[in-house]
Amino acid sequence: MYGEIPLAVALEGLGKKVHLANLSFSDLRRTPLEDWLSPGVAAVNPETAGNDDYFPERSLARWLDGTGREAIVYAFAKSGVQPLRSAYSALVEHLDVDALVLVDGGTDILLRGDESGLGTPQEDMTSLAAVAGLHGLNRLVVSVGFGIDAYHGVCHAHVLENLAALQRENAFLGALSIPPAGPEAAAYTAAVTHALTETPLRPTIVHSQIADALRGEFGNIHATTRTTGTKLFVNPFMAMYLTVDLPALARTIEYLPLLDPTEHPYQVAQLIEAHLTSRPNPRPATLIPH
């Protein structure tokens, strides 16, 4: 979710209206009825009731409020593809948006399904499948944090190979750096610092690393004890957006059509696990030559 901030700030600078949303890991059962825009999507504000130890949508809304921006972050409840698509459709209609950008903190969303490791694909693929079924608006996928998923066993040579395949289809739309001295980076690092202060017991692994990359750190740098015992790969490419055409990406995910009928997140997890165990010859992990 916080990976949206530099892009949002850049778009605001171009005069665009930007709305922030997230497929939530929070327990939204305490969210008041009046804050629900539609089944499956809530409009979270700085005062929305919820868990005090972990409610990143509310934390971000509070940071937005402190900067004078619109202090609403839309939170999608965890579900299968069909309810999430309905929630997205309701939000698109409510906000009258003409473009939708899925932002992945990491690179799991770029994996096709034939790799030796898929990272943590459940939420990414639920979102991708849900939005792939929407029409009448521009749809993009943006990945920020190249190298983060080494923590989850992703082979980044596979990520580059997949981007090359998308480029052959004119679906890899290029890369954008986050200028470390610009307003985009300043807003991002301030928001991440605010989030770490609000939820000290659940510091963000992904955005701590991206913030470290923006500061020029490199290698096995640990900003939180949550990653103790693992080898990280903090690098300058973490602070870079990789952009692809969403419908074209969706067509490359070999198991994505299987997820389309799902109603519940456990069904998505089961189908992905079944796919993993049924693959005869996954692409073996390989090093990036250097």
Side-chain angles (χ1 to χ4, degrees):
M1 176 176 60
Y2 281 77
E4 304 163 355
I5 293 173
L7 182 59
V9 171
L11 289 171
E12 287 172 349
L14 296 174
K16 307 297 183 181
K17 180 66 174 176
V18 180
H19 306 278
L20 303 181
N22 188 49
L23 179 56
S24 184
F25 284 86
S26 308
D27 182 359
L28 298 177
R29 289 175 294 181
R30 293 174 56 188
T31 305
L33 287 176
E34 59 267 24
D35 288 342
W36 288 91
L37 174 70
S38 178
V41 57
V44 176
N45 64 66
E47 304 304 324
T48 297
N51 291 341
D52 291 332
D53 60 337
Y54 185 74
F55 197 173
E57 293 83 10
R58 185 179 61 192
S59 295
L60 181 54
R62 289 174 174 174
W63 179 81
L64 291 168
D65 190 45
T67 67
R69 293 178 169 89
E70 180 183 40
I72 295 177
V73 177
Y74 297 95
F76 294 110
K78 288 187 69 173
S79 71
V81 171
Q82 289 296 319
L84 184 58
R85 183 176 295 154
S86 296
Y88 262 112
S89 181
L91 185 59
V92 166
E93 182 178 357
H94 174 72
L95 298 175
D96 191 26
V97 299
D98 59 7
L100 198 156
V101 182
L102 289 185
V103 180
D104 180 25
T107 52
D108 313 58
I109 201 167
L110 300 176
L111 299 178
R112 300 192 302 231
D114 63 346
E115 298 85 359
S116 56
L118 300 184
T120 54
Q122 181 176 329
E123 289 76 23
D124 295 327
M125 292 302 137
T126 303
S127 298
L128 182 61
V131 176
L134 299 179
H135 303 284
L137 71 167
N138 294 312
R139 293 163 294 164
L140 301 174
V141 167
V142 167
S143 165
V144 61
F146 182 89
I148 282 174
D149 295 313
Y151 174 71
H152 287 125
V154 167
C155 170
H156 287 81
H158 288 159
V159 175
L160 296 178
E161 184 179 0
N162 294 354
L163 288 173
L166 288 167
Q167 184 154 312
R168 291 194 294 272
E169 302 297 324
N170 296 317
F172 175 36
L173 305 179
L176 294 170
S177 294
I178 302 172
E184 299 86 358
Y188 174 74
T189 53
V192 171
T193 299
H194 177 268
L196 295 174
T197 301
E198 284 239 327
T199 56
L201 299 179
R202 292 281 298 274
T204 169
I205 293 174
V206 168
H207 297 291
S208 294
Q209 291 183 66
I210 297 173
D212 278 345
L214 275 169
R215 287 189 284 267
E217 300 288 357
F218 181 80
N220 192 28
I221 305 297
H222 295 257
T224 165
T225 57
R226 291 181 67 193
T227 56
T228 300
T230 62
K231 188 173 182 180
L232 304 183
F233 181 42
V234 176
N235 68 89
F237 287 170
M238 281 187 175
M240 181 180 293
Y241 286 115
L242 305 172
T243 309
V244 301
D245 177 74
L246 188 148
L249 174 65
R251 290 193 293 270
T252 71
I253 313 297
E254 57 185 25
Y255 61 89
L256 202 67
L258 302 176
L259 308 183
D260 202 73
T262 57
E263 297 285 338
H264 304 285
Y266 76 84
Q267 294 173 312
V268 175
Q270 288 174 339
L271 286 167
I272 293 176
E273 182 61 29
H275 170 77
L276 287 172
T277 57
S278 67
R279 293 175 304 170
N281 296 301
R283 277 187 284 166
T286 183
L287 295 177
I288 297 173
H290 61 84

